[in-house]
Amino acid sequence: MKNTRLIKFIAFLIFSLCYPAAFVFSDTLFFDPDGNVIDKARYERNASDREKTLRIKLKDGYDINSAVRKDPIKLRKTRIEQWRVMRSHYDPDSLPSKIEKPLPQSN
């Protein structure tokens, strides 16, 4: 019984040294979208405004001319084409074996 109490006391002592009281009782910092520290009231106001905006966007959807939302299929095709152009600048024998050899361009 004494050994168990001693082990628990040593474990508590080590735990209290590893995790100081400031970590346990510290205040939470809130940040704005620019990375600046703000107070809790302003953070909650920003979060509620963001939630209202998202609710409207999700309800009505994004319009066709919106620059915020890109078509994922077109974006993926653009990235694939950029990757092909980048790979074409390298010697095919220097590429790792997991990357396929460039296909001949057909016109």
Side-chain angles (χ1 to χ4, degrees):
M1 187 70 178
K2 273 190 162 186
N3 288 341
T4 306
R5 284 186 184 174
L6 182 62
I7 291 172
K8 286 182 181 180
F9 176 73
I10 292 173
F12 175 74
L13 186 63
I14 291 172
F15 179 77
S16 64
L17 292 175
C18 291
Y19 295 102
F23 174 74
V24 177
F25 299 110
S26 65
D27 289 334
T28 304
L29 296 177
F30 299 98
F31 297 93
D32 66 355
D34 298 325
N36 301 321
V37 177
I38 58 175
D39 59 341
K40 185 176 182 179
R42 185 171 173 199
Y43 175 79
E44 289 176 352
R45 187 173 61 244
N46 288 350
S48 67
D49 292 343
R50 187 171 49 245
E51 183 181 349
K52 288 176 190 174
T53 304
L54 284 174
R55 191 178 305 128
I56 291 170
K57 289 287 187 185
L58 293 175
K59 182 181 128 201
D60 298 336
Y62 290 92
D63 60 348
I64 295 173
N65 299 326
S66 176
V68 177
R69 191 76 171 169
K70 301 288 185 189
D71 182 13
I73 296 172
K74 289 181 181 177
L75 185 61
R76 182 174 183 269
K77 288 181 180 178
T78 304
R79 296 289 182 250
I80 290 171
E81 188 57 37
Q82 289 173 345
W83 177 245
R84 282 188 183 141
V85 169
M86 185 185 76
R87 281 190 324 191
S88 69
H89 293 13
Y90 292 99
D91 179 28
D93 296 328
S94 70
L95 295 173
S97 61
K98 292 190 177 192
I99 299 176
E100 71 271 4
K101 303 285 185 199
L103 297 174
Q105 297 289 331
S106 62
N107 291 330

